[in-house]
Structure formats: structure tokens, C-alpha cells
Amino acid sequence: MKTIAVIGAGTMGNGIAHTFAQSGFTVKLIDISDKAIERGMQTIANNLERMVTKGTITEQDKIDTIGNIITYTDIKDGVVGVDLVVEAATENVDLKLNIFKTLSEVCDHNVILASNTSSISITKIASVVVHPERVIGMHFMNPVPIMKLVEIIRGYNTTNEVTNIIMELSKKLAKTPVEVNDYPGFVANRILMPMINESIETLYNGVAGVEEIDTVMKLGMAHPMGPLQLADFIGLDVCLSILNVMYDGFKNPKYAPCPLLVNMVQAGKLGVKSGEGFYDYAQSKKAEKVSDFFKK
């Protein structure tokens, strides 16, 4: 496996492209617009420069990594000759199904198709693909170049061969792959999102304030980041989307999003990316603290 296509140049997509390229793979980074590609490539360049400054990599490593990435704005052109496609588009079911329908039409049948979805059923995604046995989940953690975990999600039809290939590939990226089965939220978000949601409920019910809730979890439970700050970093819209997927999948009220979360998303208070969530990033150094934590 030498050539990888990554669909989506956003936070997760550019991180995945960066990671593969730094490991010596040829990466075809695909997005719908030149602006999205430019932003993604600038993020990769900035992150690589930071690594050079810290002495993690050399200047030549940076040059080689960027040189391993080719960009495209057309899926059909971008997937020619690839061995693996990793989809990292927005966490939207219809969007992902449309992408995988297209991939099924334009990719050779031996190309493995992976999704970076954090909660959507791999079996459902695979249902629109010819040869669904080649569809698998590769759920990277943010920020991808730093975080070691990759959840490998087997769909109902995913073969042992495909699973083993992706497990070994993840190890070549210096990641730790963990195989899980295909249920809403998988493992990471099935455990994390109810905790975040309960933290929001605790705030909503007036038990304690934002800083107090985060301080209790950091100092009392040894979490490196409080759940409300983490929610801001993930994106409150993403948290809401994942909770809705789990609520729809399990029909269990414990996964129902807190009304405060729903209202904040509707009001456009999405966390770090919008400048305000549970913390006001325009008025504080909290965003810098979040960023610094993930530079360690």
C-alpha cells in the first residue's frame, strides 16, 4: 500500500494527510474547492514548522512531507491509482453516503474504502458500495499527528483480510489501532459523549459553573482537559451530531442531547472554531491553552 487518497481537507482530513505523508506515503488530498485545499495545506505546513522548531523533525522532513501530498478538487481524478481512500468529510450521513456511492463507481473493486466517521454506522455506509466487504472505519483522534489511537471499526461485511491490512497500516503510522465492532458511537464516543453531555446537564441544572466543573474533572479524575473545554475543542455541533446518532441508534434517553447544547449550537456558539462556546475565546487565553495542550 503506497498511495492514499484523503477526502476532506478540514481539521481531520489535513491531519490524516499530514500523518500519511510524514510516514512516506504518497497522499492525494481532495476537497471541493481550492480555498479549502489551501487552508488545509497551510495548516499542514504550520504544524510541520512547529515540529521543526521543537526539534521533532528536520527541515528536510518537512519538505519531504509536503512533497508527498498532491491536491485535487475532483474525486474522480484524485482516486486514480490509489490503494486506500480515507473519507474525512463533515459528520453528515447523507454526505458520506453520496461520497461512498461515488467512490464505488470510480474506484477499482480492490481499493479499500475507509471512513473517519466518529459515530455513523460503517455497515450503513457500506450498504451503498459494490463489494461492501472492503469498507471499514478508521477513526483517528484529533489532532491526528499527535494522538496515538485509531479506532478500527468493522462493518457487518468487513473481511478479516481488510481488517488486518488496516490494523497493520495503522501501526506503520506509529499509531495504536484498536479493533471495535459497529455500534453507534463505537467505543470512544459512546463513553466520551455521555460524559460531556452529563457535564452540560450539570451546568444546565445549576450545580456548578463551567470552570468549576472542568476543575473537578481535571483535579479529581486526572483528566488532562475538562469535559466542557474538550467539547469546545471538538466542536459543539460535532458533539450534538454524535449524540443524535447514538440517540437514534439506541433509542435510549440517556443519549438525548441536553437542551443547553442544542440551544448553543442553534445560536452558533460552537466552541473554539466559532470563537465562543462554554468559554469565550475572543476574550481569554483559553484557546491558546487548548492548542498548547495538543502541542505536547
Side-chain angles (χ1 to χ4, degrees):
M1 195 164 282
K2 298 178 180 179
T3 306
I4 316 296
V6 178
I7 298 177
T11 300
M12 296 304 296
N14 70 58
I16 294 168
H18 171 162
T19 301
F20 273 106
Q22 191 176 330
S23 297
F25 293 88
T26 297
V27 177
K28 297 185 172 187
L29 181 59
I30 306 166
D31 211 310
I32 58 174
S33 72
D34 290 327
K35 284 188 177 181
I37 290 289
E38 289 171 9
R39 285 194 299 268
M41 290 301 297
Q42 187 60 57
T43 298
I44 292 171
N46 291 343
N47 289 337
L48 287 167
E49 184 59 37
R50 190 177 295 118
M51 295 172 78
V52 171
T53 301
K54 291 172 59 180
T56 307
I57 63 172
T58 66
E59 182 67 27
Q60 189 59 51
D61 291 331
K62 171 188 170 182
I63 294 169
D64 291 343
T65 298
I66 293 174
N68 285 335
I69 304 174
I70 311 164
T71 60
Y72 296 84
T73 54
D74 186 280
I75 287 182
K76 293 180 182 179
D77 293 337
V79 299
V80 173
V82 303
D83 305 299
L84 166 69
V85 179
V86 181
E87 169 272 317
T90 304
E91 194 74 350
N92 176 284
V93 175
D94 292 335
L95 174 61
K96 290 184 186 294
L97 291 179
N98 285 333
I99 289 172
F100 275 82
K101 283 179 184 177
T102 300
L103 292 175
S104 182
E105 294 168 359
V106 300
C107 291
D108 292 338
H109 291 171
N110 62 341
V111 175
I112 296 175
L113 306 179
S115 176
N116 181 59
T117 179
S118 56
S119 60
I120 298 169
S121 168
I122 299 301
T123 303
K124 183 170 186 175
I125 291 172
S127 69
V128 300
V129 174
V130 177
H131 299 297
E133 66 276 3
R134 61 184 168 142
V135 179
I136 194 165
M138 289 186 80
H139 179 206
F140 290 86
M141 305 294 125
N142 184 29
V144 181
I146 304 299
M147 302 294 275
K148 294 295 184 182
L149 175 66
V150 184
E151 273 189 310
I152 306 300
I153 305 103
R154 295 183 63 135
Y156 187 82
N157 292 306
T158 308
T159 63
N160 290 333
E161 180 184 9
V162 167
T163 302
N164 291 337
I165 289 171
I166 296 302
M167 292 285 284
E168 290 304 313
L169 177 65
S170 299
K171 294 175 184 177
K172 291 179 181 178
L173 301 175
K175 302 298 184 186
T176 301
V178 177
E179 181 183 338
V180 303
N181 290 319
D182 187 21
Y183 292 95
F186 316 133
V187 172
N189 282 318
R190 184 169 178 174
I191 295 170
L192 174 63
M193 286 301 153
M195 182 191 74
I196 287 176
N197 198 43
E198 192 62 30
S199 301
I200 300 171
E201 286 279 0
T202 302
L203 176 66
Y204 181 58
N205 292 329
V207 178
V210 172
E211 292 273 7
E212 289 77 10
I213 291 168
D214 278 354
T215 298
V216 167
M217 296 305 291
K218 287 189 288 185
L219 300 185
M221 284 68 185
H223 291 192
M225 183 184 293
L228 298 176
Q229 187 179 358
L230 178 56
D232 276 354
F233 181 78
I234 293 168
L236 302 192
D237 53 337
V238 176
C239 293
L240 178 60
S241 175
I242 295 169
L243 283 164
N244 280 330
V245 167
M246 292 197 295
Y247 182 60
D248 291 342
F250 290 115
K251 308 300 182 187
N252 189 324
K254 75 177 181 178
Y255 298 114
C258 175
L260 176 58
L261 174 61
V262 175
N263 281 343
M264 290 180 71
V265 172
Q266 289 177 340
K269 300 182 187 299
L270 308 180
V272 174
K273 61 186 171 185
S274 70
E276 185 179 358
F278 292 106
Y279 295 89
D280 185 348
Y281 297 95
Q283 301 298 326
S284 73
K285 295 184 178 180
K286 186 66 69 173
E288 183 180 343
K289 291 178 183 178
V290 172
S291 179
D292 286 345
F293 170 77
F294 284 103
K295 292 176 187 175
K296 295 178 181 178

